Amino acid sequence: MAEHRFDPNFTDNVINAMGPKTTPRFRQLMTGLIRHVHDFARENEVTVEEWMAGVQLMNWAGQMSNDKRNEGQLVCDVIGLESLVDEITFKLAEEAEDAPTATAILGPFFRADTPYRQNGANIVKDIPDGEMAFMHGRVIDFDTKKPLVGATVEVWQAATNGLYEQQDPNQEEFNLRGKFKTDEEGRYYFYCLRPTPYPVPDDGPAGKLLKLMDRHPFRPAHIHIIATCDGYKPLTTQIFDRKDQYLTNDSVFAVKDSLIVDFVPRKDDPQAGLELNYDVKLVEQPT
Amino acid sequence: MAEHRFDPNFTDNVINAMGPKTTPRFRQLMTGLIRHVHDFARENEVTVEEWMAGVQLMNWAGQMSNDKRNEGQLVCDVIGLESLVDEITFKLAEEAEDAPTATAILGPFFRADTPYRQNGANIVKDIPDGEMAFMHGRVIDFDTKKPLVGATVEVWQAATNGLYEQQDPNQEEFNLRGKFKTDEEGRYYFYCLRPTPYPVPDDGPAGKLLKLMDRHPFRPAHIHIIATCDGYKPLTTQIFDRKDQYLTNDSVFAVKDSLIVDFVPRKDDPQAGLELNYDVKLVEQPT
């Protein structure tokens, strides 16, 4: 960082206070974090009042968080941090046309206790509006292209009012989410909604930050997917509707080109006027 | 930052998402924060798992915080951030021998509702051990050296068990804290404890960080002071006992040389065997 007029030894003193029993990785992370946070404070001459506003905002995020809502995560999301660590973790900065399915962020609305459903089930309950879609595809081995039998595809999506079931007392529990096992041909299939754009919750610190940054809170329409199969790397991703107006300015910066999909008209199905064919490509877990 | 193999436009995209109605100062702060946080993540290749551990830690800090405890602040304190923004705010990196009283951090145990007491009062209640001290001095104008009449000196200190009254159900409310008005000669005086070193609370995320960094949680013995007077800049500081073993390795990095004081023996006072003479020097508030 540039020259500054503050104690030149302060940051090194804080870093060097770490003892010999710190693990090397934790020492690396804390050293980097302390250096960047101190440089940020000095470069911008952050005042006690501004810092305290930040502390109060982060405490507020924690106080809003529970097993159904992770506001600290959402605060990170609106400054792009979850998408960035996602990119870093999976080292998929550049995606070829033919590549394992790209990753995307988990987001704050995943539920670990989502039940399995039969293939062909309808995950949409009590939703008066929205377009129905038949989503189907295979889970395949990225290298051999062989279908994977008994893989799990877990999906979740928001209702047309912009709310996930755990945010909305009027939705049935586990509405718009489910787990499916691939069949003997590696296929999964179910009925869902064509996803619709929605604003991330703006009643907390993340919404406050967005307002202060003069940004909209909308996410492009998407369906969350987690795919797992014994012997393969688990995949967390989202797929995005190509027709969505927020594709290029997602409030949490999660869109990747290879994750954009097309809903097409479906004929002769009284349950759905749209269809989405989507194959998930997993890579083997090194043993 | 150095070359990296991640999306080179990602950080600029996040920064450029800010709209025209952001205030210039907020834009500056968020630009700096986003850049440093992203650089930190890339330089150290922070994984989703590591990032999520950080989110959980910060949410935990918020959940522990209430009107008597500010754990988010304590997390900042153990990485030196409050001391750094304190230094920045008051631009007192170098302190001459004769200067206005230096500032130090507020810390998480201040209470806004502390009552006034008469000069000469004893702020120590129900404390079976510890050394009693008579603390006295004047509040003076730094430039003219004139005493300031009717200034307020607010103090708070931990008990010998290391706990402030709001942390300890066995202490009377407002034990070891009080506000005093300076008399016609600008004097304040009261009885208190010679302060003792204590560990910051280690039952939460700050304590977890300290353990992971292999650092001790102790603060050197100190008394917190806030001094205010109409027409003068309010002062927040702490004074430290020169004999304390933790003077050079305060767990929250708040010690400054000019804030180190000497407790000396006091004669012929049945209430106290020690004495501390300490003048507070305030500077005029520019109008």
Side-chain angles (χ1 to χ4, degrees):
Chain A
M1 73 163 286
E3 287 291 303
H4 60 77
R5 64 189 188 287
F6 308 108
D7 178 354
N9 301 316
F10 184 78
T11 298
D12 284 341
N13 287 346
V14 174
I15 290 167
N16 292 336
M18 279 189 274
K21 295 195 208 86
T22 320
T23 66
R25 177 62 175 163
F26 199 75
R27 182 187 302 275
Q28 179 191 357
L29 288 173
M30 289 309 294
T31 298
L33 187 66
I34 290 166
R35 220 174 268 297
H36 275 294
V37 167
H38 286 198
D39 283 350
F40 162 69
R42 282 185 291 248
E43 287 165 4
N44 297 284
E45 303 201 346
V46 175
T47 66
V48 168
E49 193 180 25
E50 290 167 337
W51 160 76
M52 184 50 81
V55 169
Q56 304 293 25
L57 189 122
M58 292 311 299
N59 279 343
W60 180 22
Q63 283 151 5
M64 282 190 109
S65 297
N66 52 39
D67 58 352
K68 292 188 174 179
R69 175 169 187 173
N70 189 331
E71 183 76 13
Q73 180 169 4
L74 190 59
V75 168
C76 292
D77 289 358
V78 301
I79 61 165
L81 186 57
E82 184 174 6
S83 285
L84 180 59
V85 297
D86 173 75
E87 184 196 358
I88 290 168
T89 303
F90 296 97
K91 298 182 181 66
L92 286 171
E94 297 160 315
E95 287 145 18
E97 186 68 15
D98 186 32
T101 302
T103 58
I105 65 176
L106 180 66
F109 299 110
F110 168 71
R111 284 187 67 172
D113 52 354
T114 297
Y116 276 97
R117 304 188 193 283
Q118 293 295 320
N119 277 310
N122 182 354
I123 64 171
V124 187
K125 299 168 185 181
D126 302 323
I127 301 286
D129 54 0
E131 293 178 89
M132 290 294 302
F134 180 68
M135 180 168 166
H136 64 105
R138 294 174 309 155
V139 178
I140 62 177
D141 180 306
F142 168 65
D143 294 306
T144 67
K145 312 301 177 203
K146 286 197 182 145
L148 298 175
V149 177
T152 292
V153 174
E154 175 167 1
V155 297
W156 64 105
Q157 63 178 166
T160 53
N161 66 0
L163 298 176
Y164 288 86
E165 50 91 6
Q166 73 264 62
Q167 299 175 277
D168 184 355
N170 295 320
Q171 287 182 52
E172 220 176 275
E173 190 162 32
F174 302 121
N175 185 30
L176 297 171
R177 60 179 76 221
K179 284 177 172 172
F180 300 90
K181 281 255 184 235
T182 56
D183 65 15
E184 294 303 309
E185 295 177 312
R187 297 190 175 280
Y188 72 89
Y189 46 102
F190 59 88
Y191 290 92
C192 62
L193 287 178
R194 178 183 207 156
T196 41
Y198 65 82
V200 297
D202 64 355
D203 55 335
K208 179 164 182 179
L209 278 180
L210 287 172
K211 274 191 205 81
L212 288 168
M213 291 191 284
D214 189 24
R215 281 173 40 189
H216 72 76
F218 280 88
R219 297 218 54 210
H222 61 276
I223 298 173
H224 290 271
I225 299 174
I226 291 179
T228 55
C229 186
D230 284 351
Y232 289 81
K233 286 190 189 165
L235 171 75
T236 300
T237 195
Q238 303 176 27
I239 51 175
F240 298 90
D241 185 344
R242 190 178 307 280
K243 298 231 167 118
D244 194 274
Q245 64 179 304
Y246 296 106
L247 266 192
T248 58
N249 56 355
D250 181 2
S251 61
V252 305
F253 309 95
V255 180
K256 296 177 183 179
D257 288 346
S258 70
L259 297 173
I260 299 173
V261 298
D262 295 281
F263 287 85
V264 298
R266 177 171 170 86
K267 285 179 192 159
D268 305 325
D269 184 342
Q271 281 195 265
L274 291 168
E275 169 169 345
L276 173 63
N277 186 349
Y278 188 73
D279 284 351
V280 177
K281 302 166 195 166
L282 297 183
V283 286
E284 264 190 282
Q285 184 83 267
T287 48
Chain B
M1 73 164 288
E3 287 291 303
H4 60 78
R5 64 191 188 287
F6 308 109
D7 179 354
N9 302 314
F10 184 78
T11 298
D12 284 340
N13 288 345
V14 175
I15 290 167
N16 293 335
M18 279 188 274
K21 295 196 209 84
T22 321
T23 66
R25 178 60 173 163
F26 199 74
R27 182 187 302 275
Q28 179 191 357
L29 289 173
M30 289 308 294
T31 298
L33 187 66
I34 290 167
R35 221 174 267 297
H36 274 294
V37 167
H38 286 199
D39 283 350
F40 162 69
R42 281 186 291 248
E43 287 165 4
N44 296 285
E45 303 202 346
V46 175
T47 67
V48 168
E49 193 180 23
E50 290 167 339
W51 160 77
M52 184 50 81
V55 169
Q56 304 293 24
L57 188 121
M58 292 312 298
N59 279 342
W60 179 23
Q63 284 151 4
M64 281 189 109
S65 296
N66 52 39
D67 59 350
K68 291 189 174 178
R69 177 169 186 172
N70 190 331
E71 183 75 13
Q73 179 170 5
L74 190 60
V75 168
C76 292
D77 290 357
V78 300
I79 61 166
L81 186 57
E82 185 175 5
S83 286
L84 180 58
V85 297
D86 173 75
E87 182 194 1
I88 290 168
T89 303
F90 296 97
K91 298 181 180 66
L92 286 172
E94 297 161 316
E95 287 145 17
E97 187 67 17
D98 186 29
T101 301
T103 58
I105 66 176
L106 180 66
F109 299 110
F110 168 71
R111 283 187 69 172
D113 53 353
T114 296
Y116 276 96
R117 305 186 192 283
Q118 294 294 321
N119 276 310
N122 182 354
I123 64 172
V124 187
K125 299 167 185 185
D126 303 323
I127 300 287
D129 53 1
E131 294 178 88
M132 290 295 301
F134 180 67
M135 179 168 166
H136 64 105
R138 292 175 309 155
V139 178
I140 61 176
D141 180 307
F142 168 64
D143 294 305
T144 67
K145 311 302 176 201
K146 285 194 181 146
L148 297 175
V149 177
T152 292
V153 174
E154 174 168 1
V155 297
W156 64 105
Q157 63 177 166
T160 52
N161 65 0
L163 298 175
Y164 288 86
E165 50 90 6
Q166 72 263 64
Q167 299 175 279
D168 185 354
N170 294 321
Q171 287 182 53
E172 220 177 274
E173 191 161 30
F174 301 120
N175 185 30
L176 297 172
R177 60 179 77 219
K179 284 178 172 170
F180 299 89
K181 283 254 184 234
T182 55
D183 66 14
E184 294 302 309
E185 294 176 315
R187 298 190 176 279
Y188 73 90
Y189 47 102
F190 58 90
Y191 290 91
C192 62
L193 286 178
R194 178 183 208 156
T196 40
Y198 65 83
V200 296
D202 64 353
D203 56 336
K208 180 165 180 176
L209 279 180
L210 287 172
K211 273 189 205 83
L212 288 168
M213 291 191 286
D214 188 24
R215 280 174 40 190
H216 72 76
F218 280 88
R219 297 218 56 211
H222 61 278
I223 298 172
H224 290 271
I225 299 174
I226 291 180
T228 55
C229 186
D230 283 349
Y232 289 80
K233 286 191 190 166
L235 172 76
T236 300
T237 196
Q238 303 176 26
I239 51 176
F240 298 90
D241 185 343
R242 190 180 307 280
K243 297 228 168 120
D244 194 90
Q245 64 179 305
Y246 296 107
L247 264 193
T248 58
N249 57 356
D250 181 0
S251 62
V252 304
F253 308 96
V255 180
K256 297 178 183 178
D257 288 347
S258 69
L259 296 173
I260 299 173
V261 298
D262 296 281
F263 288 84
V264 298
R266 178 171 171 85
K267 284 180 193 158
D268 304 324
D269 184 344
Q271 281 195 265
L274 291 168
E275 168 168 346
L276 173 62
N277 186 349
Y278 188 72
D279 284 351
V280 177
K281 302 167 197 165
L282 297 184
V283 285
E284 262 190 282
Q285 183 83 268
T287 48

